[in-house]
Amino acid sequence: MKECFKVKEQANKNILELSCSEAKLFLLKGKSYCSFDLPKYFTFDQLLTDISKELEDKKLSDFWSQIPRLDKDGNVQIDKKGNEKQCADSPRNYDEVNYKLLNNKDGKYAWRPFQLIHPALYVSLVHIITEEDHWHTIVNRFSKFSSNPRIQCMSIPVQSDTEESDKAVMVSHWWHEVEQKSIELALDYQYLFQTDITDCYGSIYTHSIAWALHKKDVAKNNRRDNILIGNAIDIHLQSMSFGQTNGIPQGSFLMDFVAEMVLGYADLLLSTKINNLIKDYKIIRYRDDYRVFVNNPQDGELIVKAISEVMIDLGMKLSPQKTTFSNEVVKDSLKEDKRYWIDHKREGKSLQKHLLVIHSLSQKYPNSGSLVIALNDFLNRIYKLETTHENLVILVSILTDIAFKNPRTYPISSAILSKLISLFDKDTNKLMIINRIKERFEKIPNTGYLELWLQRITYKLDNKFDYNEKLCKIISGWDAEIWNSDWLKNSLKVLINPQKIISEDTLDKITPVIEIGEVELFKGYM
């Protein structure tokens, strides 16, 4: 395949700096397919590779199964020879094509679905996006999105060229390009407005992707032209969600990139709306989070109003609870939870006091980034311990309460729990405390994501623990269906075997204690 354009010689390139072939390889990585944390024995690379080889130079529709053709009354049509007429099936006719992994949001009744996109639809979409002509269209359009230097997007997916993961590079990029840049802008601006979009991924109107990539009038006049890459993306997204046009899946770099198409288009619309009205401003956007810097508070109000109007036209809206104004730019460039932790961070002499300080942080700023970092520091403190005189049950109780109300911490909390459990003197005591932890979490709904991490702790101690989560059942040897593939011919359907996403070698080698490297993004950067 030809290279689409020359790539800049630098480390950690964003996806737009990659050639079409490089972008294809990047998006077909297992860690790009699933960007949320799973135990390390889950791997999607082989599955994606096998499907990619099968789909090379072919259309996904070539692999759709055949179903009876119906007339307008719903009756099966018969040809002149008395045989049933057939037509191609479609994934949009089926529910549960993608796999939704439910994650509790607040320890109560709110929840967020991570999605594992149907691998065939995922690979097909990657192939189409990274075709040479389509890739040119996308890259050129993004160039237009970023044509106003006063509006900067800092959240284009990045490929790491170092030992750090792509995800770690993205988080580091946020710190350097958003937080640090915001502090620097205090030299030039007196006021900071901040806002973000309510349920961004769940609100994206799939038709707006074609508007973004081809202009709204062109897209509307060519709505059925599948040659347009925007329409092709739209069709794939509808196929993932039973034909629905509202919302895109969350949990992959590919969908982060698709979201940036719409949000970049919003940047362009915003630029057009405000440039004749306001000259002295700077906007930094990281995904759905906006930071607006001005020297006149009335300008800030006008810009936030303009952002709101642009979002309404795209079917989205701003969060009034997260829309703030400040004349202390340096202070408020740091998130409130981070400022609090900088002021209060201290390690208690005892492990219990240290955990209680973190518990206080978790109550004041639940699910915050600072909480994850604080727990990471605690894990590093205890990881090499071989014994302790402290009350382990108390430590487990405090940590469990933190995790119960802060689902974002499940992976790092599970690593800490695995270490604390390893310090109990008898296996019977270990299993007893695990049962108590498990029973505590059974009191809240939608904990499939947590179950994956509890299973990671218990698998080597006693793999007979029962979990409802389907991915857990695969680890336990059950034949569980993850994706609905009824719309596919067997030639491709047989490749989509859930057992392929498990590395048996890794599963055999894990220890009851979760290694730091499994859950630690990078060393604390505060």
Side-chain angles (χ1 to χ4, degrees):
M1 184 178 292
K2 294 180 181 179
E3 301 291 66
C4 297
F5 52 92
K6 291 184 179 179
V7 179
K8 295 179 183 178
E9 294 297 323
Q10 63 180 51
N12 303 334
K13 305 162 188 168
N14 78 49
I15 192 171
L16 297 171
E17 296 172 311
L18 302 178
S19 68
C20 48
S21 55
E22 290 171 331
K24 181 179 179 180
L25 291 173
F26 171 64
L27 292 171
L28 287 178
K29 290 195 301 186
K31 292 294 185 182
S32 297
Y33 168 76
C34 176
S35 58
F36 54 92
D37 294 322
L38 292 176
K40 67 178 183 178
Y41 38 74
F42 285 99
T43 175
F44 300 94
D45 294 278
Q46 189 60 54
L47 178 63
L48 297 175
T49 298
D50 291 347
I51 295 172
S52 182
K53 287 179 180 177
E54 187 69 20
L55 289 181
E56 196 66 44
D57 299 323
K58 300 172 187 173
K59 295 179 180 179
L60 182 59
S61 57
D62 295 339
F63 295 89
W64 289 0
S65 61
Q66 296 292 307
I67 57 174
R69 185 186 297 276
L70 305 179
D71 61 24
K72 61 181 181 179
D73 297 319
N75 300 313
V76 176
Q77 295 183 17
I78 305 297
D79 64 21
K80 293 180 180 179
K81 295 182 178 180
N83 299 318
E84 291 184 353
K85 291 184 178 181
Q86 299 285 308
C87 64
D89 205 352
S90 168
R92 65 181 292 130
N93 297 329
Y94 294 84
D95 200 4
E96 299 182 349
V97 170
N98 288 355
Y99 182 68
K100 294 182 177 69
L101 179 63
L102 300 183
N103 184 29
N104 190 281
K105 267 181 87 172
D106 59 0
K108 296 179 183 178
Y109 303 106
W111 57 279
R112 173 187 291 123
F114 293 131
Q115 292 195 41
L116 297 176
I117 297 172
H118 192 287
L121 282 166
Y122 182 90
V123 171
S124 174
L125 183 52
V126 170
H127 281 197
I128 290 172
I129 284 176
T130 56
E131 286 179 16
E132 186 171 5
D133 289 344
H134 291 162
W135 191 245
H136 268 303
T137 297
I138 291 169
V139 171
N140 290 338
R141 194 60 175 153
F142 268 92
S143 178
K144 184 69 174 177
F145 296 159
S146 60
S147 59
N148 182 354
R150 292 192 176 277
I151 302 178
Q152 287 188 286
C153 167
M154 301 297 188
S155 47
I156 304 298
V158 173
Q159 175 175 264
S160 173
D161 281 347
T162 68
E163 293 183 358
E164 281 192 317
S165 68
D166 298 329
K167 185 177 178 180
V169 168
M170 282 297 295
V171 175
S172 179
H173 188 68
W174 179 90
W175 182 62
H176 286 290
E177 300 299 332
V178 178
E179 187 178 84
Q180 298 294 291
K181 182 65 174 178
S182 296
I183 295 173
E184 178 188 326
L185 286 172
L187 281 170
D188 306 308
Y189 297 97
Q190 298 181 61
Y191 303 101
L192 169 62
F193 288 75
Q194 299 190 67
T195 189
D196 73 6
I197 302 168
T198 300
D199 187 25
C200 179
Y201 283 45
S203 302
I204 289 176
Y205 182 48
T206 61
H207 291 340
S208 68
I209 297 163
W211 304 350
L213 295 179
H214 310 289
K215 298 183 181 180
K216 192 171 184 177
D217 57 341
V218 174
K220 282 184 170 290
N221 291 331
N222 298 273
R223 190 174 297 171
R224 300 187 183 281
D225 184 356
N226 295 340
I227 295 176
L228 293 183
I229 179 57
N231 289 341
I233 296 171
D234 185 3
I235 290 168
H236 276 75
L237 291 171
Q238 291 182 53
S239 297
M240 297 172 189
S241 57
F242 213 0
Q244 294 181 39
T245 57
N246 284 323
I248 66 173
Q250 187 168 348
S252 68
F253 281 178
L254 176 60
M255 289 300 112
D256 292 342
F257 187 46
V258 170
E260 289 297 341
M261 295 174 189
V262 178
L263 294 171
Y265 179 53
D267 292 343
L268 183 61
L269 296 176
L270 177 64
S271 179
T272 302
K273 185 178 280 284
I274 65 177
N275 266 5
N276 291 331
L277 301 174
I278 305 166
K279 298 298 182 184
D280 187 19
Y281 70 92
K282 183 79 173 183
I283 298 172
I284 295 177
R285 180 178 63 77
Y286 190 91
R287 290 187 185 151
D288 58 348
D289 179 88
Y290 288 82
R291 295 185 174 204
V292 180
F293 301 84
V294 291
N295 283 312
N296 183 329
Q298 285 73 37
D299 289 346
E301 294 282 359
L302 285 172
I303 291 173
V304 172
K305 179 176 179 289
I307 295 172
S308 180
E309 291 169 349
V310 167
M311 292 306 158
I312 288 172
D313 288 342
L314 293 173
M316 296 182 279
K317 59 183 180 180
L318 299 183
S319 169
Q321 295 83 7
K322 294 184 178 180
T323 301
T324 61
F325 158 72
S326 170
N327 59 1
E328 298 186 65
V329 178
V330 170
K331 177 174 79 69
D332 289 308
S333 290
L334 301 178
K335 288 190 173 182
E336 194 175 344
D337 62 284
K338 186 168 183 178
R339 297 200 308 268
Y340 174 88
W341 191 237
I342 289 172
D343 291 340
H344 294 80
K345 180 180 179 181
R346 61 187 185 278
E347 287 188 7
K349 291 184 179 179
S350 71
L351 297 179
Q352 184 177 145
K353 288 180 179 178
H354 189 175
L355 261 188
L356 286 171
V357 172
I358 298 174
H359 188 272
S360 296
L361 172 66
S362 75
Q363 290 183 311
K364 191 168 182 64
Y365 299 103
N367 271 327
S368 63
S370 296
L371 177 57
V372 175
I373 291 170
L375 288 169
N376 181 79
D377 290 343
F378 185 80
L379 175 61
N380 276 280
R381 178 180 177 183
I382 69 168
Y383 192 73
K384 293 184 179 180
L385 285 181
E386 295 183 359
T387 184
T388 179
H389 297 295
E390 297 198 39
N391 188 318
L392 287 169
V393 177
I394 298 295
L395 296 179
V396 168
S397 180
I398 297 169
L399 197 281
T400 300
D401 194 62
I402 292 172
F404 187 91
K405 298 170 184 175
N406 298 273
R408 182 178 180 180
T409 72
Y410 285 166
I412 190 72
S413 293
S414 297
I416 296 171
L417 283 171
S418 73
K419 180 60 187 180
L420 293 176
I421 290 168
S422 75
L423 299 177
F424 282 82
D425 56 355
K426 297 179 181 178
D427 283 350
T428 52
N429 292 337
K430 295 176 183 178
L431 296 175
M432 191 179 302
I433 201 69
I434 289 171
N435 268 314
R436 292 175 70 180
I437 295 168
K438 193 169 180 292
E439 288 173 4
R440 172 82 190 276
F441 280 101
E442 286 173 351
K443 296 173 183 176
I444 56 175
N446 302 321
T447 54
Y449 186 49
L450 173 68
E451 286 193 350
L452 287 171
W453 285 100
L454 288 180
Q455 185 182 49
R456 169 64 184 87
I457 297 172
T458 62
Y459 185 79
K460 285 293 185 175
L461 293 172
D462 185 347
N463 63 9
K464 294 183 176 61
F465 275 92
D466 185 36
Y467 298 101
N468 293 320
E469 168 55 45
K470 282 187 179 181
L471 292 176
C472 291
K473 292 187 180 298
I474 293 174
I475 297 297
S476 299
W478 291 56
D479 185 19
E481 183 182 79
I482 301 302
W483 303 281
N484 185 341
S485 299
D486 291 343
W487 47 279
L488 282 175
K489 293 178 181 177
N490 280 336
S491 57
L492 184 57
K493 188 175 181 179
V494 294
L495 296 180
I496 303 170
N497 180 354
Q499 292 298 329
K500 285 187 178 180
I501 69 174
I502 309 299
S503 169
E504 294 292 343
D505 185 56
T506 303
L507 190 60
D508 288 342
K509 292 178 180 177
I510 62 168
T511 63
V513 177
I514 298 174
E515 298 172 10
I516 290 179
E518 290 184 59
V519 296
E520 184 182 54
L521 200 59
F522 43 65
K523 298 293 183 183
Y525 60 90
M526 295 174 63

